[in-house]
Amino acid sequence: MAKAKYTDRALMQKTIEVMNKSINEPRPDGKVPPKVGALLLFPDGRVETAFRGELRDGDHAEFTLLERKLANENLEDCVLFTTLEPCVERNPPKVPCCRRTTNARIKKVFVGIEDRDPTVDGKGIKHLEKNGVEVKMFDRDLQRVIEEENKAFLKQALKRKKETEEEDVRSPIENPIANYDRSKFSDKALQKFINESNLNYTINDESFLEYLADFGAMEWSQSKKRFVPTGYGILLFGVNPRAKFKNAVLKAHVTYGNNKIEPKDFSDALVLVPDQIEEWLKKVLPLSKDTSEFKRKDVPDFPINVLREAIVNALVHRDYEIEGAKCEIKIDNDKIIVTSPGKPLPAISLEQLNTFEAPSLSRNPIITYAFSLMDYVEEKGFGMKTFKTLNKDFGLPIPKYIFKEPFLILTFPRTTEGVKSVIDSKVIDSLSNEQLSYLEIFREHEFVTKAEFVDYSKMADRSAQRLLKDWVDDGLIESIGAGKSTKYKLKD
């Protein structure tokens, strides 16, 4: 019997279909149980599934699958898909699902979404990774489906998390700041947040302070009988965030030829920075003529919305606890570089970032939440679709992420020389501008067939075949498969 073939995405979708069969068992404590689906892919292509409550009320999907359905089978080479981060605590003699997974010697797990319940809250993923399991997250659009189906559960989980957090396990950014009060917030920043989030408050409403406390920007102090800003609150709304967090700044540098524009620091409250950046970019980027309308007008020669998106991502997802490390943007004739302190979180790979479809996983969920309300970012995701279409929409090269301790670096090439800076190959220097434009096809599409390459490049069939062969021989691209099913991809 031929081995069945599935894509990772197809299995994610099937796991969600299984999740939707979950049985909502009655609970006297009022807790909303999550909908959870689990799927196991065997090396021979066989697939087994389970959902929460399938065989007995309250039984977890992973337990049902691994222990009740497949207890006597060897699962060592299987891949597990689960819509919710596996649990880490169960009342004895029950075994947590993350431990059942590692006990089964499963080495690869696809997780739908994080479980924000304080008993889990990232610890399930950490347990798997600590025990040598490769963890991948579901595609972002599929995560949204899971979140929507589990809206009530996630709301309760976040509330429980807030109620059980203790200062001694939180970072300085999460903790309330002693001797700080409402006066440390910028009225301008608060008003901007209210306006752009469409909130029905005034900045001095007590109910507004309660709202800020609900999502972690403030905290009620029983001893002081007032709301106290947290570190996240100061970063988002503070009059002078750098007074408390010295690295809370975006440093900007521009150099064109021998002309160097005065460096600029952006160190206001985070909610004010995106608009400040946009105005600055309009001033420093060279202008070109836009003739798409009847009246010609001067426009920046690089799309402002793309750079704004890159910078907002850098500010939102950076690691604020790395001392001395700051966000930066550097612009020169050949490229634009955006750097952000902190390596990608373990469940997000550089490869995923460079497909510009990174899944939902945030280092700073409170900042991400505030920015999502203001429509600056997609909540907890990396909204980078504009990066992927740069070549098609603007004729510009595709950007690339690399990690160089301690910075995540995003480079936007603007010229041929700029492209050379993001492709690690000795062959790149010998390519013509036209060939470099053909190479962008492989940077925009992960896999390309010969027919697709001919279609995208508009080359003659034989010329395209010859170029593909030369690039494979030179180690610039690699071929996968054989015959008409052969696909080509940029070599890592």
mmCIF file of all heavy atoms in Angstrom, residues 410-440:
data_model
loop_
_atom_site.group_PDB
_atom_site.id
_atom_site.type_symbol
_atom_site.label_atom_id
_atom_site.label_comp_id
_atom_site.label_asym_id
_atom_site.label_seq_id
_atom_site.Cartn_x
_atom_site.Cartn_y
_atom_site.Cartn_z
ATOM 1 N N LEU A 410 16.876 42.747 10.055
ATOM 2 C CA LEU A 410 16.084 42.690 8.827
ATOM 3 C C LEU A 410 16.689 43.668 7.822
ATOM 4 O O LEU A 410 16.757 44.870 8.090
ATOM 5 C CB LEU A 410 14.627 43.056 9.119
ATOM 6 C CG LEU A 410 13.676 43.137 7.919
ATOM 7 C CD1 LEU A 410 13.581 41.800 7.203
ATOM 8 C CD2 LEU A 410 12.296 43.609 8.363
ATOM 9 N N THR A 411 17.104 43.141 6.674
ATOM 10 C CA THR A 411 17.722 43.976 5.647
ATOM 11 C C THR A 411 16.812 44.088 4.428
ATOM 12 O O THR A 411 16.380 43.076 3.872
ATOM 13 C CB THR A 411 19.081 43.392 5.209
ATOM 14 O OG1 THR A 411 19.951 43.330 6.346
ATOM 15 C CG2 THR A 411 19.739 44.275 4.147
ATOM 16 N N PHE A 412 16.547 45.321 4.025
ATOM 17 C CA PHE A 412 15.805 45.608 2.801
ATOM 18 C C PHE A 412 16.800 46.065 1.736
ATOM 19 O O PHE A 412 17.270 47.208 1.792
ATOM 20 C CB PHE A 412 14.783 46.730 3.016
ATOM 21 C CG PHE A 412 13.636 46.373 3.909
ATOM 22 C CD1 PHE A 412 13.714 46.585 5.276
ATOM 23 C CD2 PHE A 412 12.469 45.847 3.385
ATOM 24 C CE1 PHE A 412 12.646 46.274 6.108
ATOM 25 C CE2 PHE A 412 11.397 45.525 4.207
ATOM 26 C CZ PHE A 412 11.485 45.734 5.571
ATOM 27 N N PRO A 413 17.154 45.215 0.769
ATOM 28 C CA PRO A 413 18.046 45.672 -0.301
ATOM 29 C C PRO A 413 17.324 46.688 -1.191
ATOM 30 O O PRO A 413 16.122 46.569 -1.438
ATOM 31 C CB PRO A 413 18.347 44.387 -1.086
ATOM 32 C CG PRO A 413 17.904 43.264 -0.203
ATOM 33 C CD PRO A 413 16.784 43.811 0.620
ATOM 34 N N ARG A 414 18.069 47.677 -1.660
ATOM 35 C CA ARG A 414 17.485 48.690 -2.551
ATOM 36 C C ARG A 414 18.142 48.683 -3.926
ATOM 37 O O ARG A 414 17.612 49.277 -4.869
ATOM 38 C CB ARG A 414 17.627 50.075 -1.921
ATOM 39 C CG ARG A 414 17.057 50.167 -0.529
ATOM 40 C CD ARG A 414 17.373 51.494 0.113
ATOM 41 N NE ARG A 414 16.638 52.580 -0.529
ATOM 42 C CZ ARG A 414 16.936 53.859 -0.353
ATOM 43 N NH1 ARG A 414 17.964 54.197 0.410
ATOM 44 N NH2 ARG A 414 16.217 54.793 -0.950
ATOM 45 N N THR A 415 19.310 48.073 -4.027
ATOM 46 C CA THR A 415 20.069 48.057 -5.272
ATOM 47 C C THR A 415 20.674 46.667 -5.464
ATOM 48 O O THR A 415 20.553 45.790 -4.600
ATOM 49 C CB THR A 415 21.218 49.082 -5.236
ATOM 50 O OG1 THR A 415 22.140 48.683 -4.206
ATOM 51 C CG2 THR A 415 20.707 50.482 -4.959
ATOM 52 N N THR A 416 21.369 46.496 -6.596
ATOM 53 C CA THR A 416 22.087 45.241 -6.846
ATOM 54 C C THR A 416 23.065 44.944 -5.726
ATOM 55 O O THR A 416 23.160 43.811 -5.237
ATOM 56 C CB THR A 416 22.852 45.332 -8.184
ATOM 57 O OG1 THR A 416 21.921 45.608 -9.225
ATOM 58 C CG2 THR A 416 23.577 44.036 -8.478
ATOM 59 N N GLU A 417 23.804 45.948 -5.299
ATOM 60 C CA GLU A 417 24.759 45.754 -4.212
ATOM 61 C C GLU A 417 24.047 45.358 -2.925
ATOM 62 O O GLU A 417 24.547 44.565 -2.133
ATOM 63 C CB GLU A 417 25.570 47.033 -3.990
ATOM 64 C CG GLU A 417 26.556 47.348 -5.098
ATOM 65 C CD GLU A 417 27.559 46.211 -5.320
ATOM 66 O OE1 GLU A 417 28.109 45.705 -4.323
ATOM 67 O OE2 GLU A 417 27.758 45.827 -6.479
ATOM 68 N N GLY A 418 22.863 45.915 -2.732
ATOM 69 C CA GLY A 418 22.090 45.570 -1.548
ATOM 70 C C GLY A 418 21.655 44.118 -1.549
ATOM 71 O O GLY A 418 21.683 43.443 -0.522
ATOM 72 N N VAL A 419 21.272 43.605 -2.719
ATOM 73 C CA VAL A 419 20.880 42.196 -2.832
ATOM 74 C C VAL A 419 22.059 41.302 -2.477
ATOM 75 O O VAL A 419 21.920 40.286 -1.788
ATOM 76 C CB VAL A 419 20.374 41.876 -4.255
ATOM 77 C CG1 VAL A 419 20.151 40.377 -4.423
ATOM 78 C CG2 VAL A 419 19.077 42.620 -4.542
ATOM 79 N N LYS A 420 23.233 41.679 -2.928
ATOM 80 C CA LYS A 420 24.427 40.875 -2.644
ATOM 81 C C LYS A 420 24.675 40.758 -1.143
ATOM 82 O O LYS A 420 25.238 39.771 -0.669
ATOM 83 C CB LYS A 420 25.643 41.486 -3.338
ATOM 84 C CG LYS A 420 25.591 41.401 -4.869
ATOM 85 C CD LYS A 420 26.780 42.097 -5.507
ATOM 86 C CE LYS A 420 26.701 42.025 -7.035
ATOM 87 N NZ LYS A 420 27.840 42.720 -7.686
ATOM 88 N N SER A 421 24.252 41.751 -0.395
ATOM 89 C CA SER A 421 24.507 41.746 1.051
ATOM 90 C C SER A 421 23.630 40.754 1.801
ATOM 91 O O SER A 421 23.914 40.430 2.954
ATOM 92 C CB SER A 421 24.304 43.151 1.635
ATOM 93 O OG SER A 421 22.927 43.493 1.649
ATOM 94 N N VAL A 422 22.541 40.271 1.164
ATOM 95 C CA VAL A 422 21.647 39.351 1.878
ATOM 96 C C VAL A 422 21.705 37.926 1.346
ATOM 97 O O VAL A 422 21.020 37.053 1.858
ATOM 98 C CB VAL A 422 20.180 39.839 1.831
ATOM 99 C CG1 VAL A 422 20.036 41.180 2.515
ATOM 100 C CG2 VAL A 422 19.648 39.882 0.411
ATOM 101 N N ILE A 423 22.521 37.674 0.322
ATOM 102 C CA ILE A 423 22.644 36.317 -0.219
ATOM 103 C C ILE A 423 24.067 35.830 -0.003
ATOM 104 O O ILE A 423 25.022 36.413 -0.517
ATOM 105 C CB ILE A 423 22.279 36.273 -1.717
ATOM 106 C CG1 ILE A 423 20.817 36.698 -1.906
ATOM 107 C CG2 ILE A 423 22.487 34.869 -2.276
ATOM 108 C CD1 ILE A 423 20.349 36.709 -3.328
ATOM 109 N N ASP A 424 24.191 34.775 0.744
ATOM 110 C CA ASP A 424 25.504 34.247 1.110
ATOM 111 C C ASP A 424 25.975 33.260 0.048
ATOM 112 O O ASP A 424 25.799 32.054 0.166
ATOM 113 C CB ASP A 424 25.424 33.567 2.482
ATOM 114 C CG ASP A 424 26.794 33.099 2.970
ATOM 115 O OD1 ASP A 424 27.799 33.606 2.453
ATOM 116 O OD2 ASP A 424 26.834 32.240 3.868
ATOM 117 N N SER A 425 26.552 33.783 -1.021
ATOM 118 C CA SER A 425 27.049 32.934 -2.102
ATOM 119 C C SER A 425 28.151 33.668 -2.853
ATOM 120 O O SER A 425 28.024 34.855 -3.152
ATOM 121 C CB SER A 425 25.910 32.565 -3.060
ATOM 122 O OG SER A 425 26.423 31.912 -4.211
ATOM 123 N N LYS A 426 29.215 32.938 -3.167
ATOM 124 C CA LYS A 426 30.317 33.537 -3.929
ATOM 125 C C LYS A 426 29.891 33.856 -5.360
ATOM 126 O O LYS A 426 30.467 34.715 -6.021
ATOM 127 C CB LYS A 426 31.514 32.585 -3.941
ATOM 128 C CG LYS A 426 32.119 32.349 -2.562
ATOM 129 C CD LYS A 426 33.260 31.344 -2.623
ATOM 130 C CE LYS A 426 33.831 31.089 -1.226
ATOM 131 N NZ LYS A 426 34.910 30.070 -1.253
ATOM 132 N N VAL A 427 28.868 33.160 -5.844
ATOM 133 C CA VAL A 427 28.416 33.321 -7.225
ATOM 134 C C VAL A 427 27.710 34.660 -7.427
ATOM 135 O O VAL A 427 27.672 35.195 -8.531
ATOM 136 C CB VAL A 427 27.461 32.163 -7.606
ATOM 137 C CG1 VAL A 427 27.009 32.278 -9.057
ATOM 138 C CG2 VAL A 427 28.133 30.827 -7.365
ATOM 139 N N ILE A 428 27.158 35.213 -6.342
ATOM 140 C CA ILE A 428 26.288 36.373 -6.464
ATOM 141 C C ILE A 428 26.975 37.550 -7.148
ATOM 142 O O ILE A 428 26.366 38.303 -7.908
ATOM 143 C CB ILE A 428 25.743 36.784 -5.071
ATOM 144 C CG1 ILE A 428 24.526 37.708 -5.212
ATOM 145 C CG2 ILE A 428 26.793 37.405 -4.218
ATOM 146 C CD1 ILE A 428 23.314 37.025 -5.704
ATOM 147 N N ASP A 429 28.273 37.722 -6.927
ATOM 148 C CA ASP A 429 28.989 38.865 -7.508
ATOM 149 C C ASP A 429 29.065 38.801 -9.028
ATOM 150 O O ASP A 429 29.245 39.828 -9.683
ATOM 151 C CB ASP A 429 30.405 38.953 -6.936
ATOM 152 C CG ASP A 429 30.407 39.424 -5.488
ATOM 153 O OD1 ASP A 429 29.467 40.145 -5.108
ATOM 154 O OD2 ASP A 429 31.332 39.068 -4.743
ATOM 155 N N SER A 430 28.943 37.604 -9.579
ATOM 156 C CA SER A 430 29.074 37.449 -11.035
ATOM 157 C C SER A 430 27.748 37.611 -11.774
ATOM 158 O O SER A 430 27.721 37.608 -12.999
ATOM 159 C CB SER A 430 29.670 36.068 -11.359
ATOM 160 O OG SER A 430 28.768 35.035 -10.980
ATOM 161 N N LEU A 431 26.641 37.766 -11.039
ATOM 162 C CA LEU A 431 25.334 37.860 -11.680
ATOM 163 C C LEU A 431 25.068 39.269 -12.206
ATOM 164 O O LEU A 431 25.419 40.267 -11.566
ATOM 165 C CB LEU A 431 24.227 37.469 -10.706
ATOM 166 C CG LEU A 431 24.270 36.050 -10.129
ATOM 167 C CD1 LEU A 431 23.025 35.801 -9.278
ATOM 168 C CD2 LEU A 431 24.376 35.003 -11.217
ATOM 169 N N SER A 432 24.417 39.326 -13.339
ATOM 170 C CA SER A 432 24.009 40.610 -13.904
ATOM 171 C C SER A 432 22.767 41.112 -13.177
ATOM 172 O O SER A 432 22.110 40.356 -12.438
ATOM 173 C CB SER A 432 23.705 40.459 -15.389
ATOM 174 O OG SER A 432 22.552 39.636 -15.569
ATOM 175 N N ASN A 433 22.426 42.367 -13.408
ATOM 176 C CA ASN A 433 21.217 42.916 -12.797
ATOM 177 C C ASN A 433 19.976 42.135 -13.218
ATOM 178 O O ASN A 433 19.060 41.894 -12.423
ATOM 179 C CB ASN A 433 21.051 44.391 -13.189
ATOM 180 C CG ASN A 433 22.020 45.286 -12.449
ATOM 181 O OD1 ASN A 433 22.739 44.839 -11.564
ATOM 182 N ND2 ASN A 433 22.052 46.551 -12.820
ATOM 183 N N GLU A 434 19.953 41.714 -14.487
ATOM 184 C CA GLU A 434 18.815 40.939 -14.984
ATOM 185 C C GLU A 434 18.735 39.593 -14.279
ATOM 186 O O GLU A 434 17.654 39.153 -13.866
ATOM 187 C CB GLU A 434 18.949 40.729 -16.494
ATOM 188 C CG GLU A 434 17.739 40.029 -17.110
ATOM 189 C CD GLU A 434 17.869 39.867 -18.614
ATOM 190 O OE1 GLU A 434 19.017 39.705 -19.097
ATOM 191 O OE2 GLU A 434 16.833 39.898 -19.295
ATOM 192 N N GLN A 435 19.875 38.933 -14.095
ATOM 193 C CA GLN A 435 19.882 37.643 -13.403
ATOM 194 C C GLN A 435 19.483 37.806 -11.938
ATOM 195 O O GLN A 435 18.795 36.949 -11.372
ATOM 196 C CB GLN A 435 21.260 37.003 -13.530
ATOM 197 C CG GLN A 435 21.567 36.495 -14.931
ATOM 198 C CD GLN A 435 22.989 36.016 -15.063
ATOM 199 O OE1 GLN A 435 23.914 36.555 -14.434
ATOM 200 N NE2 GLN A 435 23.201 34.987 -15.881
ATOM 201 N N LEU A 436 19.913 38.902 -11.323
ATOM 202 C CA LEU A 436 19.512 39.157 -9.945
ATOM 203 C C LEU A 436 17.990 39.330 -9.845
ATOM 204 O O LEU A 436 17.372 38.898 -8.865
ATOM 205 C CB LEU A 436 20.212 40.401 -9.401
ATOM 206 C CG LEU A 436 21.679 40.204 -8.990
ATOM 207 C CD1 LEU A 436 22.334 41.548 -8.722
ATOM 208 C CD2 LEU A 436 21.784 39.308 -7.765
ATOM 209 N N SER A 437 17.396 39.918 -10.865
ATOM 210 C CA SER A 437 15.933 40.058 -10.859
ATOM 211 C C SER A 437 15.265 38.692 -10.965
ATOM 212 O O SER A 437 14.209 38.457 -10.363
ATOM 213 C CB SER A 437 15.479 40.968 -11.997
ATOM 214 O OG SER A 437 15.632 40.337 -13.254
ATOM 215 N N TYR A 438 15.875 37.763 -11.714
ATOM 216 C CA TYR A 438 15.337 36.405 -11.799
ATOM 217 C C TYR A 438 15.486 35.684 -10.455
ATOM 218 O O TYR A 438 14.630 34.885 -10.070
ATOM 219 C CB TYR A 438 16.060 35.599 -12.875
ATOM 220 C CG TYR A 438 15.906 36.132 -14.286
ATOM 221 C CD1 TYR A 438 16.891 35.908 -15.238
ATOM 222 C CD2 TYR A 438 14.772 36.844 -14.659
ATOM 223 C CE1 TYR A 438 16.754 36.396 -16.538
ATOM 224 C CE2 TYR A 438 14.625 37.332 -15.953
ATOM 225 C CZ TYR A 438 15.619 37.112 -16.892
ATOM 226 O OH TYR A 438 15.485 37.586 -18.157
ATOM 227 N N LEU A 439 16.571 35.989 -9.757
ATOM 228 C CA LEU A 439 16.804 35.344 -8.463
ATOM 229 C C LEU A 439 15.727 35.724 -7.447
ATOM 230 O O LEU A 439 15.405 34.941 -6.540
ATOM 231 C CB LEU A 439 18.194 35.733 -7.937
ATOM 232 C CG LEU A 439 18.743 34.905 -6.771
ATOM 233 C CD1 LEU A 439 18.889 33.441 -7.161
ATOM 234 C CD2 LEU A 439 20.072 35.467 -6.306
ATOM 235 N N GLU A 440 15.168 36.915 -7.596
ATOM 236 C CA GLU A 440 14.116 37.351 -6.687
ATOM 237 C C GLU A 440 12.904 36.420 -6.735
ATOM 238 O O GLU A 440 12.148 36.320 -5.773
ATOM 239 C CB GLU A 440 13.673 38.780 -7.034
ATOM 240 C CG GLU A 440 14.649 39.852 -6.611
ATOM 241 C CD GLU A 440 14.894 39.855 -5.120
ATOM 242 O OE1 GLU A 440 13.934 40.029 -4.350
ATOM 243 O OE2 GLU A 440 16.053 39.657 -4.708
#
